[in-house]
Amino acid sequence: MISDIISTLFTKFPLVGAIGAVALILLVSYWFANVIGQKRMGSAIAIVVALILAFIAGKFTDGSKGVSDITYFSGFALLGGSMLRDFAIISTAFGAKLENLKKAGLPGIVSLLLGVTFSFVVGSVIAYVMGYHDAVDVATIGAGTVTFIVGPVTGTALGASSEVIALSIAAGVVKSVLTMIITPFIAKAIKLDNPTTAMVYGGLIGTTSGVAGGLAATDPKLVPYGAMTATFYTGLGSLVCPSLGYMVLKIFL
Amino acid sequence: MEIYGLGIVAFCMYIGSFIGYFIGEALGISGNVGGVGFAMLLLILLSNYVDKKRGGWSERTKNGIYLLSALYIPIVVAMAGIQNVVAAFSGGAIAFVAGGVATIGSMFLVPVIGKLGSKKLEE
């Protein structure tokens, strides 16, 4: 009887169950990030944990929709679906000031344009070399190399498969984590010691969590400068990758 | 009220996605092409306009927007949880190579473009 009631709870309130489960994932991930002394890696760790859970669920159920194939966790499909995802992403643009972009000036704008283009091209070329020859797949993986948000946004827009979208998220997460880890070591070599280069750095790398984490480990004073340009990166990527990026790829493929 | 904040984002999403689907139709791929980007751009323009015009939205309206952006990471975690990772795992090397090369390559572009900025300051 008790177990019946419990399974009723999960099937009656799927969205609430998913919110609770995600809260738990984040709690454990941030706790782990604290233990290893990398506070800002919490969200990247949580994404990796979720990808691992999706892997386990996929092995277990033979399904293609990760943990949402398990009846108890079907709410994940609502919480992580494209509707709420896009709704939340758009809200993050709030607070970005136009003056700030003007303040970042020419190097800021050049770094944003070059940063998105460079990552998209590198990701696309590697995807092509490693066996993906369909323009939609190549564009999605290239967009994932921009950030782990631009990948799924592009993939959903162009109708890519979940497998390719998962790859694009993974590429973005690799970029984010790698940025946090190697920035402090490479800071001197790339002259990352003043507001201008910090803004350029934010515009070139773009993954907000990676940039903020990497700069915090280098010099906390530089964080707002890097974060300022990085805020525009995902927006620019979501605008350019599924439209212009895809069209250009379509010419070659 | 908080719901106004949520409503503002909803409005931007509808306008942005309208443009996105329109471009999608024009390209013949029937998808929302760049809609999220257009919506973000609209939200930035709108909030900056209101800031200038009458000192921004009220605290409670802003809270509605902040609530959404606070949900952003949890939603991304949930999104990661529903992907076909088993299938992706077979081609997983791509993620590491693409992410790695893009990151390290971008970092070495920093001093190159940084020079552009310092030259301008010297002028």
Side-chain angles (χ1 to χ4, degrees):
Chain A
M1 192 184 84
I2 300 283
S3 67
D4 279 349
I5 296 176
I6 291 176
S7 68
T8 308
L9 292 182
F10 277 98
T11 44
K12 282 269 183 192
F13 321 132
L15 183 59
V16 176
I19 291 172
V22 169
L24 207 61
I25 294 174
L26 281 164
L27 185 74
V28 173
S29 305
Y30 273 88
W31 169 80
F32 181 72
N34 248 332
V35 167
I36 59 168
Q38 294 285 345
K39 249 182 164 171
R40 284 174 184 274
M41 274 170 81
S43 47
I45 292 171
I47 293 170
V48 173
V49 169
L51 287 171
I52 292 170
L53 291 177
F55 179 80
I56 296 169
K59 280 275 179 210
F60 196 65
T61 62
D62 273 331
S64 63
K65 293 192 191 81
V67 292
S68 66
D69 281 328
I70 300 169
T71 325
Y72 285 173
F73 297 113
S74 61
F76 270 72
L78 285 169
L79 185 62
S82 64
M83 180 175 70
L84 282 180
R85 183 197 66 205
D86 290 353
F87 197 35
I89 293 169
I90 293 165
S91 75
T92 61
F94 181 66
K97 295 266 172 286
L98 283 177
E99 301 100 80
N100 283 344
L101 192 63
K102 281 179 201 149
K103 249 185 253 161
L106 188 65
I109 291 164
V110 171
S111 64
L112 271 172
L113 291 172
L114 193 70
V116 171
T117 313
F118 179 77
S119 288
F120 184 75
V121 170
V122 166
S124 302
V125 168
I126 288 169
Y128 184 82
V129 170
M130 293 181 79
Y132 287 85
H133 293 176
D134 179 53
V136 171
D137 293 347
V138 173
T140 305
I141 294 169
T145 315
V146 175
T147 70
F148 56 74
I149 292 301
V150 181
V153 166
T154 304
T156 318
L158 302 175
S161 69
S162 172
E163 171 202 340
V164 171
I165 293 178
L167 263 181
S168 78
I169 297 174
V173 171
V174 167
K175 190 180 177 191
S176 176
V177 172
L178 206 59
T179 303
M180 285 184 238
I181 295 171
I182 64 177
T183 301
F185 298 106
I186 209 172
K188 239 198 187 130
I190 60 172
K191 296 191 179 69
L192 191 59
D193 54 8
N194 61 74
T196 310
T197 44
M199 281 190 288
V200 169
Y201 166 85
L204 279 173
I205 312 272
T207 146
T208 317
S209 51
V211 165
L215 285 177
T218 309
D219 179 359
K221 279 198 294 279
L222 298 176
V223 172
Y225 297 102
M228 191 162 83
T229 38
T231 353
F232 291 98
Y233 192 86
T234 295
L236 184 65
S238 312
L239 191 63
V240 172
C241 294
S243 50
L244 207 63
Y246 173 72
M247 282 192 279
V248 172
L249 282 176
K250 196 89 180 130
I251 297 170
F252 291 107
L253 296 172
Chain B
M1 283 212 292
E2 285 77 0
I3 189 70
Y4 296 159
L6 296 170
I8 289 164
V9 182
F11 170 77
C12 292
M13 185 165 167
Y14 265 64
I15 301 288
S17 301
F18 178 84
I19 303 172
Y21 278 111
F22 190 82
I23 295 177
E25 287 289 321
L27 290 175
I29 38 173
S30 70
N32 185 356
V33 177
V36 174
F38 285 116
M40 290 174 95
L41 201 62
L42 183 64
L43 183 61
I44 293 175
L45 292 176
L46 203 63
S47 64
N48 279 277
Y49 174 77
V50 176
D51 263 355
K52 235 179 218 150
K53 208 73 179 161
R54 53 180 186 90
W57 287 307
S58 79
E59 213 48 50
R60 291 187 65 191
T61 302
K62 281 186 200 162
N63 283 341
I65 306 181
Y66 291 142
L67 166 73
L68 263 185
S69 34
L71 283 175
Y72 161 67
I73 289 293
I75 285 174
V76 170
V77 171
M79 176 188 78
I82 56 172
Q83 304 302 324
N84 191 355
V85 182
V86 174
F89 202 68
S90 50
I94 267 195
F96 283 92
V97 178
V101 174
T103 311
I104 293 166
S106 302
M107 284 186 174
F108 281 102
L109 287 173
V110 172
V112 180
I113 303 176
K115 262 182 207 143
L116 196 77
S118 44
K119 245 182 226 157
K120 212 184 155 214
L121 286 179
E122 279 158 25
E123 283 168 14

